[in-house]
Structures are given as C-alpha cells and as structure tokens.
Amino acid sequence: MSIENAKANLKEFGKELGLEDLDFDENNTCILGIDDEYSLHITYEPNSRKMYIYSPLLDGLPKDDKVRLRLYEKLLEGSLLGGQMAGGGVGVAVAEELILVHSTLDMEHAVSSALRAYAPIFVEMVEKWRKNCQEVMEGRDTKGGETAQALPPAQGRQGPGQGFIKI
C-alpha cells in the first residue's frame, strides 16, 4: 500500500511540474535538477514506509576552521526543532564534504497530493539555505543575524531551571 502511495505522490507531483513520466528508478529514487543549480532527491524507503526528500546545500566544506564552525552554528540554529528547515533537518558527511537538508513524508498515511503540496515549501527552504551557506562561505554572514534571533528571549528567568513549574 505504501509504495503505491509513494508512486501516486510522485505521479501527482510530476503532473504539477508538467513531467508526466516521473517515476522512481531501481533504487526507489527520483532525482530532479532545479534550475541547473542543484538537485532534489526523492527516495522511497520500503522498510520505514517513508519518502525522503533531500538536497545538497554546498559543494564542499570550508577549509578554514572558523568559517566551518560558523557554518555549523548557523545550520544548527536553523534546524532547531525543524523551525527554519521546513520541519526537516540538516546533516553533514564530512568525508564526502557534503551537507544535505532533508525531510520525510510518511507514505502509510499521506494523501496522494502530499508531495505536490510540500515540495514547493521544501525547494524554497533549500534556496534560502543555499544562499545562507554561500554567505557564510564568503564571509558576508554576521553573527547575531536572522537565525540567532529565531527563538524568543527568556523573560523573567534568572538562571537555569527558573521559570519552570516543578511537577
């Protein structure tokens, strides 16, 4: 049932893009080029019954330790609770010098239009984070920017554990 739902989601998404023959390959993966700039990968994993959507954010990691640390900080701040990652997250494969942003859709319970509805949000987020990563790599990012202010400041708290109700 889930693989059929995954295929229906991919077909529905393909229709939206004007690509009637969109289908999974032998590895249950479909790779789309986005504006000749990056790729969007869609993989169905039968054991988990999930559709994984992922995309690279950078080609290579920064060589400078300070720049790499700032990049990791920015990515971790943005992925906190999936808040700025469209509900997904980010991962790093250091040996491959690869940073991927990813999300999942549960194909056991998703409607056939789930991917079609979610993909534009995901692509918009990827484009934003590719730009953010490039700014860090070029030294145009400043600490204390947009992502550093994503969480509201703690009000009236004076130290660790303050402001919580003890149960």
Side-chain angles (χ1 to χ4, degrees):
M1 172 79 171
S2 296
I3 184 68
E4 290 83 11
N5 193 17
K7 288 179 179 180
N9 263 274
L10 193 60
K11 291 283 184 208
E12 188 79 20
F13 181 50
K15 286 179 191 174
E16 180 78 15
L17 298 175
L19 302 170
E20 297 296 325
D21 60 343
L22 206 56
D23 204 358
F24 291 114
D25 65 13
E26 65 277 358
N27 297 315
N28 291 330
T29 297
C30 178
I31 303 172
L32 299 171
I34 307 295
D35 296 333
D36 293 326
E37 290 187 29
Y38 63 94
S39 54
L40 175 67
H41 301 245
I42 303 166
T43 300
Y44 175 72
E45 207 294 307
N47 293 328
S48 66
R49 299 183 180 131
K50 293 184 189 290
M51 181 179 284
Y52 293 88
I53 304 159
Y54 50 102
S55 193
L57 291 182
L58 272 181
D59 298 322
L61 294 176
K63 302 300 180 214
D64 181 90
D65 288 343
K66 288 181 182 180
V67 174
R68 189 170 45 249
L69 176 60
R70 178 62 194 133
L71 178 63
Y72 290 168
E73 285 176 344
K74 187 161 188 104
L75 289 166
L76 285 171
E77 288 169 353
S79 69
L80 185 64
L81 299 176
Q84 294 180 31
M85 300 281 179
V90 66
V92 178
V94 177
E96 292 82 9
E97 294 196 31
L98 179 64
I99 297 176
L100 286 180
V101 64
H102 54 83
S103 192
T104 61
L105 294 173
D106 181 351
M107 287 293 106
E108 194 164 16
H109 302 98
V111 297
S112 63
S113 60
L115 178 60
R116 183 188 72 202
Y118 180 70
I121 296 164
F122 187 83
V123 168
E124 183 178 326
M125 177 271 300
V126 170
E127 290 172 352
K128 171 191 164 195
W129 279 100
R130 286 179 61 84
K131 180 180 174 219
N132 286 346
C133 289
Q134 197 59 46
E135 287 175 356
V136 171
M137 295 284 283
E138 294 170 359
R140 294 184 291 127
D141 171 71
T142 59
K143 189 134 177 113
E146 176 187 22
T147 56
Q149 297 174 11
L151 294 175
Q155 296 176 351
R157 293 205 318 204
Q158 309 196 351
Q162 298 296 317
F164 292 96
I165 300 171
K166 293 186 180 180
I167 300 175

